[in-house]
Amino acid sequence: MIDIHCHIVYGVDDGSYSKAESLRMAQIAAHSGVTDIIATPHSIPGMFDNFAGEELDAAFGRLEKLIADNGLDERLRVHRGMEAFANDDTLDRLENGQLLTLAGTDHLLIECEFGEDPEYFGGILLRLRRRGIRPVIAHPERYYFAQDDPKFLLDYVDMGCALQLDSGSVTGMFGHRSRRTALELLDIGAVQLIGSDAHDSESRTPDMREAADLIANEFSHRYAELIFDVNPARLLKNRRLLFPGDESEGKRRDPFMTDEEFWGV
Ligand SMILES: [Fe+2]
């Protein structure tokens, strides 16, 4: 599995608070079958001022060294990214080079206020799309407007944005409205990515197995594979993300395909 959303960098936001905690999170990830993590500190002006530059580079460097010093680097690759915040200055921050995309690709992880106006958020997403960015919307199932009516999210998908569920929403950690919305989005095949959005080693951990099992059982093994493995691997290569169904276009007749050929990773 690949985790594209994780607050494992210590001391920079409300995620990991220490070196020891980051090590515990890395161990949980590796033991639960995660091979790659994109470390995504919050970048919220005035709250978590994490912007591209020396300070943030140093924080990523400390995490990478911690993982290497403890012999985990062969099992767990760490990539750099951030969870950008949507507000009036997002476009300026992009143009000033202050935002980090996911692992240096065109995909930008972006969140908004839980009570944000969906049209305002949509306007920012559209402007990002016009600049060649492929927004990955962090935990859409937790936004109030989406819980009231997921149609706005489908407009964002039409625009070329990807929806990234939090694994904890699927298992019910964020309450029934988030869970119901997550399951609805899965049911209509609108979800392309999932992430742990882990903040610690005890309650919001990097272990996504429960959510993966639930999706495999309630929907399909292929769907779970698509959002936990295939699309994140494609994202790391800056390739277009697939929807459920895309993967087998024109390929269904050949029963001897390898998984790799089937998915086109
Ligand atoms: Fe997050």
Side-chain angles (χ1 to χ4, degrees), residues 5 7 42 83 197 199:
H5 183 164
H7 299 267
H42 285 290
E83 183 174 14
D197 198 1
H199 279 61

Side-chain angles (χ1 to χ4, degrees), residues 5-7 40 42 83 109 111 138-139 142 164 166 197-199 204:
H5 183 164
C6 188
H7 299 267
T40 52
H42 285 290
E83 183 174 14
L109 183 66
E111 65 174 338
H139 40 66
R142 295 173 58 196
Q164 174 257 303
D166 277 1
D197 198 1
H199 279 61
R204 293 177 69 182

Side-chain angles (χ1 to χ4, degrees), residues 9-175:
V9 180
Y10 56 93
V12 296
D13 63 4
D14 58 346
S16 173
Y17 51 82
S18 71
K19 200 169 168 176
E21 182 68 347
S22 289
L23 181 58
R24 284 190 289 270
M25 291 171 75
Q27 285 162 339
I28 290 171
H31 290 150
S32 63
V34 172
T35 57
D36 293 75
I37 284 183
I38 308 183
T40 52
H42 285 290
S43 179
I44 306 179
M47 188 185 289
F48 302 117
D49 288 308
N50 296 310
F51 304 111
E54 275 176 30
E55 241 174 82
L56 193 55
D57 277 349
F60 282 121
R62 284 192 291 273
L63 174 73
E64 288 154 3
K65 183 172 183 312
L66 174 72
I67 287 174
D69 287 350
N70 286 276
L72 280 170
D73 52 329
E74 284 187 8
R75 294 167 60 195
L76 188 68
R77 287 174 293 271
V78 176
H79 310 264
R80 299 181 180 194
M82 66 170 46
E83 183 174 14
F85 186 75
N87 68 8
D88 289 347
D89 303 323
T90 305
L91 272 293
D92 288 343
R93 291 199 300 280
L94 178 76
E95 272 157 24
N96 296 337
Q98 291 181 294
L99 301 184
L100 288 179
T101 58
L102 293 171
T105 65
D106 297 334
H107 301 270
L108 176 73
L109 183 66
I110 186 160
E111 65 174 338
C112 67
E113 287 280 4
F114 286 102
E116 190 55 275
D117 168 1
E119 289 183 4
Y120 173 79
F121 187 35
I124 294 171
L125 295 170
L126 186 60
R127 291 198 289 281
L128 288 168
R129 286 294 294 134
R130 286 183 180 144
R131 282 164 179 77
I133 290 292
R134 294 195 256 190
V136 172
I137 299 167
H139 40 66
E141 74 284 0
R142 295 173 58 196
Y143 301 131
Y144 307 144
F145 67 81
Q147 295 172 349
D148 290 340
D149 188 345
K151 81 177 162 78
F152 296 104
L153 300 180
L154 303 184
D155 291 343
Y156 305 161
V157 169
D158 282 346
M159 209 189 274
C161 302
L163 305 181
Q164 174 257 303
L165 299 183
D166 277 1
S167 54
S169 296
V170 176
T171 56
M173 180 183 290
F174 300 110

Side-chain angles (χ1 to χ4, degrees), residues 180-245:
R180 191 199 61 207
T181 308
L183 297 180
E184 263 177 39
L185 293 170
L186 285 163
D187 198 40
I188 57 175
V191 178
Q192 292 181 299
L193 294 163
I194 194 158
S196 72
D197 198 1
H199 279 61
D200 57 51
S201 67
E202 285 180 5
S203 55
R204 293 177 69 182
T205 83
D207 186 343
M208 300 190 284
R209 286 176 298 185
E210 191 184 341
D213 288 347
L214 197 146
I215 293 169
N217 291 333
E218 294 295 318
F219 297 91
S220 71
H221 176 72
R222 289 274 185 215
Y223 201 174
E225 196 177 28
L226 180 71
I227 62 178
F228 284 94
D229 301 284
V230 174
N231 272 337
R234 290 177 66 94
L235 182 148
L236 287 176
K237 293 178 181 167
N238 208 19
R239 295 188 65 187
R240 183 178 64 84
L241 304 179
L242 304 176
F243 287 100

